[in-house]
Coordinates of all heavy atoms in Angstrom, one line a residue:
M1 N 2.2 7.1 18.6 CA 1.2 6.8 17.6 C 1.6 5.4 17.0 O 2.6 5.2 16.5 CB 1.2 7.8 16.4 CG 0.2 7.5 15.4 SD 0.0 8.9 14.3 CE -0.1 10.2 15.3
R2 N 0.6 4.4 17.2 CA 0.9 3.1 16.8 C -0.1 2.4 15.9 O 0.2 1.4 15.3 CB 1.1 2.2 18.1 CG 2.2 2.8 19.0 CD 2.2 2.0 20.3 NE 2.6 0.6 20.0 CZ 2.8 -0.3 20.9 NH1 2.7 0.0 22.2 NH2 3.1 -1.5 20.6
T3 N -1.3 2.9 15.9 CA -2.3 2.2 15.1 C -3.0 3.2 14.1 O -2.9 4.4 14.2 CB -3.4 1.7 16.1 OG1 -4.1 2.8 16.7 CG2 -2.8 0.8 17.1
L4 N -3.8 2.6 13.2 CA -4.5 3.4 12.3 C -5.6 4.2 13.0 O -5.8 5.4 12.6 CB -5.2 2.5 11.3 CG -5.9 3.1 10.1 CD1 -4.9 3.9 9.3 CD2 -6.6 2.1 9.2
Y5 N -6.1 3.7 14.1 CA -7.0 4.5 14.9 C -6.4 5.8 15.4 O -7.0 6.8 15.4 CB -7.6 3.6 16.0 CG -8.5 4.4 16.9 CD1 -9.8 4.6 16.6 CD2 -8.1 4.8 18.2 CE1 -10.7 5.3 17.4 CE2 -9.0 5.5 19.0 CZ -10.3 5.7 18.6 OH -11.2 6.4 19.4
D6 N -5.1 5.6 15.8 CA -4.4 6.8 16.3 C -4.3 7.9 15.2 O -4.4 9.1 15.5 CB -3.0 6.4 16.8 CG -3.0 5.5 18.0 OD1 -4.0 5.6 18.8 OD2 -2.0 4.8 18.2
V7 N -4.0 7.4 14.0 CA -3.9 8.4 12.9 C -5.3 9.0 12.6 O -5.3 10.2 12.4 CB -3.4 7.7 11.6 CG1 -3.4 8.6 10.4 CG2 -2.0 7.1 11.8
Q8 N -6.3 8.2 12.7 CA -7.7 8.8 12.5 C -8.0 9.8 13.6 O -8.6 10.9 13.3 CB -8.7 7.7 12.6 CG -8.7 6.7 11.4 CD -9.6 5.6 11.6 OE1 -9.7 4.9 12.6 NE2 -10.4 5.3 10.5
Q9 N -7.5 9.6 14.8 CA -7.8 10.5 15.9 C -7.0 11.8 15.7 O -7.5 12.9 15.9 CB -7.5 9.9 17.2 CG -8.4 8.8 17.6 CD -9.9 9.2 17.6 OE1 -10.3 10.2 18.2 NE2 -10.6 8.5 16.8
L10 N -5.8 11.7 15.1 CA -5.0 12.9 14.8 C -5.7 13.7 13.7 O -5.8 14.9 13.9 CB -3.6 12.4 14.3 CG -2.7 13.6 13.7 CD1 -2.4 14.6 14.8 CD2 -1.4 13.0 13.1
L11 N -6.1 13.1 12.7 CA -6.8 13.8 11.6 C -8.1 14.4 12.2 O -8.5 15.5 11.8 CB -7.1 12.8 10.5 CG -5.9 12.4 9.7 CD1 -6.3 11.3 8.7 CD2 -5.3 13.5 8.9
K12 N -8.8 13.7 13.0 CA -10.0 14.2 13.6 C -9.8 15.5 14.4 O -10.7 16.4 14.4 CB -10.6 13.1 14.5 CG -12.0 13.5 15.1 CD -12.4 12.3 15.9 CE -13.7 12.6 16.7 NZ -14.1 11.4 17.5
R13 N -8.6 15.7 15.0 CA -8.3 16.9 15.7 C -8.3 18.1 14.8 O -8.5 19.3 15.2 CB -6.9 16.8 16.3 CG -6.9 15.9 17.5 CD -5.6 15.8 18.2 NE -4.6 16.8 17.9 CZ -3.2 16.6 18.1 NH1 -2.8 15.4 18.4 NH2 -2.4 17.5 17.8
F14 N -8.1 17.9 13.5 CA -8.1 18.9 12.5 C -9.4 18.9 11.6 O -9.4 19.4 10.5 CB -6.9 18.8 11.6 CG -5.6 19.0 12.4 CD1 -4.9 17.9 12.8 CD2 -5.2 20.2 12.9 CE1 -3.7 18.0 13.6 CE2 -4.0 20.4 13.6 CZ -3.3 19.2 14.0
D15 N -10.4 18.2 12.1 CA -11.7 18.1 11.4 C -11.6 17.4 10.0 O -12.2 17.8 9.1 CB -12.4 19.5 11.3 CG -12.9 20.0 12.6 OD1 -13.2 19.2 13.5 OD2 -12.8 21.3 12.8
V16 N -10.7 16.5 10.0 CA -10.5 15.7 8.8 C -11.1 14.3 9.0 O -10.6 13.6 9.9 CB -9.0 15.6 8.3 CG1 -8.9 14.7 7.1 CG2 -8.5 17.0 8.1
F17 N -12.1 13.9 8.3 CA -12.8 12.6 8.5 C -12.7 11.9 7.1 O -13.1 12.5 6.1 CB -14.2 12.8 8.9 CG -14.4 13.5 10.2 CD1 -14.5 14.9 10.3 CD2 -14.4 12.8 11.4 CE1 -14.6 15.5 11.5 CE2 -14.5 13.4 12.6 CZ -14.6 14.8 12.7
V18 N -12.2 10.7 7.1 CA -11.9 10.0 5.9 C -12.8 8.7 5.9 O -12.6 7.9 6.8 CB -10.5 9.7 5.7 CG1 -10.3 8.8 4.4 CG2 -9.6 10.9 5.6
H19 N -13.6 8.6 4.9 CA -14.3 7.3 4.7 C -14.7 7.2 3.2 O -15.7 7.8 2.8 CB -15.6 7.2 5.5 CG -16.3 5.9 5.3 ND1 -15.8 4.7 5.8 CD2 -17.4 5.6 4.6 CE1 -16.6 3.7 5.4 NE2 -17.6 4.2 4.7
V20 N -13.8 6.5 2.5 CA -14.0 6.4 1.0 C -14.9 5.1 0.7 O -15.6 5.1 -0.2 CB -12.7 6.4 0.3 CG1 -12.9 6.2 -1.2 CG2 -11.9 7.6 0.6
G21 N -14.7 4.1 1.5 CA -15.5 2.9 1.3 C -14.6 1.7 1.4 O -15.1 0.7 2.0
K22 N -13.4 1.7 0.9 CA -12.5 0.6 1.0 C -11.4 1.0 1.9 O -10.9 2.1 1.9 CB -11.9 0.2 -0.4 CG -12.8 -0.6 -1.3 CD -12.0 -1.0 -2.5 CE -12.1 -2.4 -2.7 NZ -11.4 -2.8 -3.9
R23 N -11.0 0.1 2.8 CA -10.0 0.4 3.8 C -8.7 0.8 3.1 O -8.0 1.8 3.6 CB -9.7 -0.8 4.7 CG -8.8 -0.5 5.9 CD -8.9 -1.6 6.9 NE -8.3 -1.3 8.2 CZ -7.1 -1.5 8.5 NH1 -6.3 -2.2 7.6 NH2 -6.6 -1.1 9.6
L24 N -8.3 0.2 2.1 CA -7.0 0.6 1.4 C -7.1 2.0 0.8 O -6.2 2.8 1.0 CB -6.8 -0.4 0.2 CG -5.5 -0.3 -0.5 CD1 -4.3 -0.5 0.4 CD2 -5.4 -1.2 -1.7
W25 N -8.3 2.4 0.3 CA -8.4 3.7 -0.2 C -8.5 4.7 0.9 O -7.9 5.8 0.8 CB -9.7 3.8 -1.0 CG -9.7 3.0 -2.3 CD1 -8.7 2.4 -2.9 CD2 -10.9 2.7 -3.0 NE1 -9.1 1.7 -4.0 CE2 -10.5 1.8 -4.1 CE3 -12.2 3.0 -2.9 CZ2 -11.3 1.3 -5.0 CZ3 -13.1 2.5 -3.9 CH2 -12.7 1.7 -4.9
D26 N -9.1 4.4 2.0 CA -9.1 5.2 3.2 C -7.6 5.5 3.7 O -7.3 6.7 4.0 CB -9.8 4.6 4.4 CG -11.3 4.6 4.1 OD1 -11.8 5.2 3.2 OD2 -12.0 3.9 4.9
I27 N -6.8 4.5 3.7 CA -5.4 4.7 4.1 C -4.7 5.6 3.2 O -3.9 6.5 3.6 CB -4.7 3.3 4.2 CG1 -5.3 2.5 5.3 CG2 -3.2 3.4 4.3 CD1 -5.0 1.0 5.3
E28 N -4.9 5.4 1.9 CA -4.3 6.3 0.9 C -4.7 7.8 1.0 O -3.8 8.7 0.9 CB -4.5 5.8 -0.5 CG -3.8 4.5 -0.8 CD -4.3 3.8 -2.1 OE1 -5.2 4.3 -2.8 OE2 -3.7 2.7 -2.4
V29 N -6.0 8.0 1.3 CA -6.4 9.4 1.4 C -5.9 10.0 2.7 O -5.5 11.1 2.8 CB -8.0 9.4 1.4 CG1 -8.5 10.8 1.8 CG2 -8.5 9.1 0.0
M30 N -5.8 9.1 3.8 CA -5.3 9.6 5.1 C -3.8 10.0 4.9 O -3.4 11.0 5.4 CB -5.4 8.5 6.1 CG -6.7 8.4 6.7 SD -6.7 7.2 8.1 CE -8.0 6.1 7.6
A31 N -3.1 9.3 4.1 CA -1.7 9.6 3.8 C -1.6 11.0 3.1 O -0.7 11.8 3.5 CB -1.0 8.5 3.0
L32 N -2.5 11.2 2.2 CA -2.5 12.5 1.5 C -2.8 13.7 2.5 O -2.2 14.7 2.5 CB -3.5 12.5 0.4 CG -3.2 11.6 -0.8 CD1 -4.4 11.6 -1.8 CD2 -1.9 12.1 -1.5
E33 N -3.7 13.4 3.4 CA -4.1 14.4 4.4 C -3.0 14.7 5.3 O -2.8 15.8 5.7 CB -5.4 14.0 5.1 CG -6.6 14.0 4.2 CD -7.0 15.3 3.7 OE1 -6.6 16.4 4.2 OE2 -7.8 15.4 2.7
I34 N -2.3 13.7 5.8 CA -1.1 13.8 6.7 C -0.1 14.7 5.9 O 0.5 15.6 6.5 CB -0.6 12.5 7.1 CG1 -1.6 11.8 8.1 CG2 0.8 12.6 7.8 CD1 -1.8 12.5 9.4
D35 N 0.2 14.4 4.7 CA 1.1 15.2 3.9 C 0.7 16.6 3.9 O 1.6 17.5 4.1 CB 1.2 14.7 2.4 CG 1.9 13.3 2.3 OD1 2.6 12.9 3.2 OD2 1.7 12.7 1.2
N36 N -0.6 16.9 3.7 CA -1.0 18.3 3.6 C -0.9 19.0 4.9 O -0.4 20.1 5.0 CB -2.5 18.3 3.2 CG -2.7 17.9 1.8 OD1 -1.8 18.1 0.9 ND2 -3.9 17.5 1.4
L37 N -1.1 18.3 6.0 CA -1.0 18.9 7.4 C 0.5 19.2 7.6 O 0.8 20.3 8.2 CB -1.5 18.0 8.5 CG -3.0 17.8 8.5 CD1 -3.4 16.7 9.5 CD2 -3.7 19.1 8.8
Y38 N 1.4 18.3 7.2 CA 2.8 18.5 7.5 C 3.3 19.7 6.6 O 4.0 20.6 7.1 CB 3.6 17.3 7.2 CG 5.1 17.5 7.3 CD1 5.6 17.7 8.6 CD2 5.9 17.4 6.2 CE1 7.0 17.9 8.8 CE2 7.3 17.6 6.4 CZ 7.8 17.8 7.6 OH 9.2 18.0 7.8
H39 N 2.9 19.7 5.3 CA 3.4 20.8 4.5 C 2.8 22.2 4.9 O 3.4 23.2 4.5 CB 3.1 20.5 3.0 CG 3.9 19.3 2.5 ND1 5.3 19.3 2.5 CD2 3.5 18.1 2.0 CE1 5.7 18.1 2.0 NE2 4.6 17.4 1.7
A40 N 1.7 22.2 5.6 CA 1.1 23.4 6.1 C 1.7 23.8 7.4 O 1.3 24.8 8.0 CB -0.4 23.3 6.2
H41 N 2.7 23.0 7.9 CA 3.4 23.2 9.2 C 2.4 23.2 10.3 O 2.5 23.9 11.3 CB 4.1 24.6 9.2 CG 5.1 24.7 8.0 ND1 6.2 24.0 8.0 CD2 5.0 25.4 6.9 CE1 6.9 24.3 6.9 NE2 6.2 25.1 6.2
V42 N 1.4 22.3 10.3 CA 0.4 22.1 11.3 C 0.8 21.0 12.3 O 0.5 21.1 13.5 CB -1.0 21.9 10.7 CG1 -2.0 21.6 11.8 CG2 -1.4 23.0 9.8
I43 N 1.5 20.0 11.8 CA 2.0 18.9 12.6 C 3.6 18.9 12.5 O 4.2 19.3 11.6 CB 1.4 17.6 12.3 CG1 1.8 17.2 10.8 CG2 -0.1 17.6 12.5 CD1 1.3 15.8 10.4
S44 N 4.2 18.4 13.6 CA 5.6 18.3 13.7 C 6.1 17.2 12.7 O 5.4 16.3 12.3 CB 6.1 18.0 15.1 OG 5.7 16.7 15.5
K45 N 7.4 17.2 12.5 CA 8.1 16.2 11.6 C 8.0 14.8 12.3 O 7.7 13.8 11.7 CB 9.5 16.6 11.4 CG 10.2 15.6 10.4 CD 11.6 16.1 10.1 CE 12.2 15.1 9.1 NZ 13.6 15.6 8.6
K46 N 8.1 14.8 13.6 CA 8.0 13.6 14.4 C 6.7 12.9 14.3 O 6.5 11.7 14.0 CB 8.4 13.8 15.9 CG 8.3 12.6 16.7 CD 8.6 12.9 18.2 CE 8.4 11.6 19.0 NZ 8.7 11.9 20.4
L47 N 5.6 13.7 14.4 CA 4.3 13.2 14.3 C 4.0 12.8 12.9 O 3.3 11.8 12.6 CB 3.3 14.3 14.7 CG 1.9 13.9 15.2 CD1 2.0 12.9 16.3 CD2 1.2 15.2 15.7
F48 N 4.5 13.6 11.9 CA 4.3 13.2 10.5 C 4.9 11.9 10.2 O 4.3 11.0 9.6 CB 5.0 14.3 9.6 CG 5.1 14.0 8.2 CD1 4.0 13.9 7.3 CD2 6.4 13.7 7.7 CE1 4.2 13.6 6.0 CE2 6.5 13.3 6.3 CZ 5.4 13.3 5.5
L49 N 6.2 11.7 10.7 CA 6.8 10.4 10.4 C 6.2 9.2 11.1 O 6.1 8.1 10.5 CB 8.3 10.5 10.8 CG 9.2 11.5 9.9 CD1 10.6 11.6 10.5 CD2 9.2 11.0 8.5
Q50 N 5.7 9.4 12.3 CA 5.0 8.4 13.0 C 3.8 8.0 12.2 O 3.5 6.8 12.0 CB 4.7 8.8 14.4 CG 5.9 8.9 15.3 CD 5.5 9.5 16.7 OE1 4.5 10.2 16.8 NE2 6.3 9.1 17.7
A51 N 3.0 9.0 11.8 CA 1.7 8.7 11.1 C 2.0 8.0 9.8 O 1.3 7.0 9.4 CB 1.0 10.0 10.9
K52 N 3.0 8.4 9.1 CA 3.4 7.8 7.8 C 3.8 6.4 7.9 O 3.5 5.5 7.1 CB 4.5 8.6 7.1 CG 4.0 10.0 6.6 CD 2.9 9.9 5.5 CE 3.6 9.7 4.1 NZ 2.6 9.9 3.0
M53 N 4.6 6.1 9.0 CA 5.0 4.7 9.3 C 3.8 3.8 9.5 O 3.7 2.7 9.0 CB 6.0 4.7 10.4 CG 7.3 5.2 10.1 SD 8.5 5.2 11.5 CE 8.6 3.5 11.8
V54 N 2.8 4.3 10.3 CA 1.6 3.5 10.6 C 0.9 3.3 9.3 O 0.5 2.2 9.0 CB 0.7 4.2 11.6 CG1 -0.6 3.6 11.7 CG2 1.4 4.3 13.0
L55 N 0.7 4.3 8.5 CA -0.1 4.2 7.2 C 0.6 3.3 6.3 O 0.0 2.5 5.6 CB -0.3 5.6 6.6 CG -1.2 6.5 7.4 CD1 -1.2 7.9 6.9 CD2 -2.7 6.0 7.4
N56 N 2.0 3.4 6.2 CA 2.7 2.5 5.3 C 2.5 1.0 5.7 O 2.3 0.2 4.8 CB 4.2 2.9 5.2 CG 4.4 4.1 4.4 OD1 3.6 4.5 3.6 ND2 5.5 4.8 4.7
R57 N 2.6 0.8 7.0 CA 2.5 -0.6 7.5 C 1.1 -1.1 7.2 O 0.9 -2.2 6.7 CB 2.7 -0.6 9.0 CG 2.6 -2.0 9.6 CD 2.7 -2.0 11.1 NE 1.6 -1.4 11.7 CZ 1.6 -0.5 12.6 NH1 2.7 0.0 13.1 NH2 0.5 0.1 13.1
E58 N 0.1 -0.3 7.5 CA -1.3 -0.7 7.2 C -1.6 -0.9 5.7 O -2.3 -1.8 5.3 CB -2.3 0.3 7.8 CG -2.3 0.3 9.3 CD -2.7 -1.0 10.0 OE1 -3.6 -1.6 9.4 OE2 -2.2 -1.3 11.0
H59 N -1.0 -0.1 4.9 CA -1.2 -0.2 3.4 C -0.6 -1.5 3.0 O -1.2 -2.2 2.2 CB -0.6 1.0 2.7 CG -0.9 1.1 1.3 ND1 -0.3 0.5 0.3 CD2 -1.9 1.8 0.7 CE1 -0.8 0.8 -0.9 NE2 -1.8 1.6 -0.7
H60 N 0.6 -1.8 3.4 CA 1.3 -3.0 3.1 C 0.5 -4.2 3.5 O 0.3 -5.2 2.8 CB 2.7 -3.1 3.7 CG 3.4 -4.3 3.4 ND1 3.9 -4.6 2.1 CD2 3.7 -5.4 4.2 CE1 4.5 -5.8 2.2 NE2 4.4 -6.3 3.4
Y61 N 0.0 -4.2 4.7 CA -0.8 -5.3 5.3 C -2.1 -5.5 4.4 O -2.4 -6.7 4.0 CB -1.2 -5.0 6.7 CG -2.1 -6.1 7.3 CD1 -1.5 -7.2 7.8 CD2 -3.5 -6.0 7.3 CE1 -2.3 -8.3 8.3 CE2 -4.3 -7.0 7.8 CZ -3.7 -8.1 8.3 OH -4.5 -9.2 8.8
E62 N -2.7 -4.4 4.0 CA -3.9 -4.6 3.2 C -3.6 -5.2 1.8 O -4.3 -6.0 1.3 CB -4.6 -3.2 3.0 CG -5.4 -2.7 4.2 CD -6.5 -3.6 4.6 OE1 -7.3 -4.0 3.8 OE2 -6.6 -3.9 5.8
E63 N -2.5 -4.7 1.2 CA -2.1 -5.2 -0.1 C -1.8 -6.7 0.0 O -2.1 -7.4 -0.9 CB -1.0 -4.4 -0.6 CG -1.4 -3.1 -1.2 CD -0.2 -2.4 -1.9 OE1 0.9 -2.5 -1.4 OE2 -0.5 -1.7 -2.8
T64 N -1.1 -7.1 1.0 CA -0.6 -8.5 1.0 C -1.6 -9.5 1.6 O -1.6 -10.7 1.3 CB 0.7 -8.6 1.8 OG1 0.6 -8.1 3.1 CG2 1.8 -7.8 1.1
H65 N -2.4 -9.1 2.6 CA -3.3 -10.0 3.3 C -4.8 -10.0 2.8 O -5.5 -11.0 3.0 CB -3.2 -9.8 4.8 CG -1.9 -10.2 5.3 ND1 -0.9 -9.3 5.5 CD2 -1.4 -11.4 5.8 CE1 0.2 -9.9 6.0 NE2 -0.1 -11.2 6.2
H66 N -5.2 -8.9 2.3 CA -6.6 -8.8 2.0 C -6.9 -8.8 0.5 O -8.1 -8.8 0.1 CB -7.2 -7.6 2.7 CG -7.4 -7.8 4.1 ND1 -6.5 -7.3 5.0 CD2 -8.3 -8.5 4.9 CE1 -6.9 -7.6 6.2 NE2 -7.9 -8.3 6.2
N67 N -5.9 -8.8 -0.3 CA -6.1 -8.8 -1.7 C -5.7 -10.1 -2.4 O -5.3 -10.1 -3.5 CB -5.4 -7.6 -2.4 CG -6.0 -6.3 -2.0 OD1 -7.2 -6.2 -1.8 ND2 -5.2 -5.2 -2.0
I68 N -5.8 -11.2 -1.7 CA -5.4 -12.5 -2.2 C -6.5 -13.1 -3.1 O -6.2 -14.0 -3.8 CB -5.0 -13.5 -1.1 CG1 -6.1 -13.8 -0.2 CG2 -3.7 -13.0 -0.4 CD1 -5.9 -14.9 0.8
F69 N -7.7 -12.5 -3.0 CA -8.8 -13.0 -3.9 C -9.1 -12.0 -5.0 O -9.1 -10.8 -4.7 CB -10.0 -13.2 -3.0 CG -9.9 -14.4 -2.0 CD1 -9.6 -14.1 -0.7 CD2 -10.0 -15.7 -2.5 CE1 -9.4 -15.2 0.2 CE2 -9.8 -16.7 -1.6 CZ -9.5 -16.5 -0.3
N70 N -9.3 -12.6 -6.2 CA -9.7 -11.7 -7.2 C -11.2 -11.6 -7.2 O -11.9 -12.1 -6.4 CB -9.2 -12.2 -8.6 CG -9.7 -13.6 -8.9 OD1 -10.7 -14.0 -8.4 ND2 -9.1 -14.2 -9.9
V71 N -11.8 -10.9 -8.3 CA -13.2 -10.7 -8.3 C -14.0 -11.9 -8.3 O -15.1 -12.0 -7.7 CB -13.6 -9.8 -9.5 CG1 -15.1 -9.6 -9.7 CG2 -12.8 -8.5 -9.5
G72 N -13.6 -13.0 -8.9 CA -14.3 -14.2 -9.0 C -14.3 -15.1 -7.7 O -14.9 -16.1 -7.6
G73 N -13.5 -14.6 -6.7 CA -13.5 -15.3 -5.4 C -12.4 -16.4 -5.3 O -12.3 -17.1 -4.4
K74 N -11.6 -16.6 -6.4 CA -10.6 -17.6 -6.4 C -9.2 -16.9 -6.1 O -9.1 -15.7 -6.4 CB -10.5 -18.2 -7.8 CG -11.7 -19.0 -8.2 CD -11.6 -19.6 -9.5 CE -12.9 -20.3 -9.9 NZ -12.9 -20.7 -11.3
Q75 N -8.3 -17.6 -5.5 CA -7.0 -17.0 -5.2 C -6.3 -16.7 -6.5 O -6.5 -17.4 -7.5 CB -6.2 -18.0 -4.3 CG -6.7 -18.1 -2.9 CD -5.7 -18.9 -2.0 OE1 -5.1 -19.8 -2.5 NE2 -5.6 -18.4 -0.8
N76 N -5.5 -15.7 -6.4 CA -4.7 -15.2 -7.6 C -3.8 -16.4 -8.0 O -3.2 -17.1 -7.2 CB -3.8 -14.0 -7.2 CG -4.6 -12.8 -7.0 OD1 -5.7 -12.7 -7.6 ND2 -4.1 -11.9 -6.3
G77 N -3.8 -16.6 -9.3 CA -3.0 -17.6 -9.9 C -3.7 -18.9 -10.1 O -3.1 -19.9 -10.6
Q78 N -4.9 -19.1 -9.6 CA -5.6 -20.3 -9.7 C -6.7 -20.1 -10.8 O -7.3 -19.1 -11.0 CB -6.3 -20.7 -8.4 CG -5.3 -21.1 -7.4 CD -6.0 -21.6 -6.1 OE1 -7.2 -21.5 -6.0 NE2 -5.2 -22.1 -5.2
S79 N -7.1 -21.2 -11.4 CA -8.1 -21.2 -12.5 C -9.5 -21.4 -11.9 O -9.7 -22.0 -10.9 CB -7.9 -22.3 -13.5 OG -6.6 -22.2 -14.0

């Protein structure tokens, strides 16, 4: 498991479809769903950890690369 698409396909196997509207929110909800599957003993620890690593990487990417603009369209820290 290497991509967010792989995590989506894993969730799809359990009839879990996530679309909140913002990619960052989707990633956060997917992480909650992966937690639930693991705690219900439906997925292995290895699969759980792989999915969480992908989700953490994607979440970090979204926070650092796609949130550089505020609501006004200017970069953070600029007037």
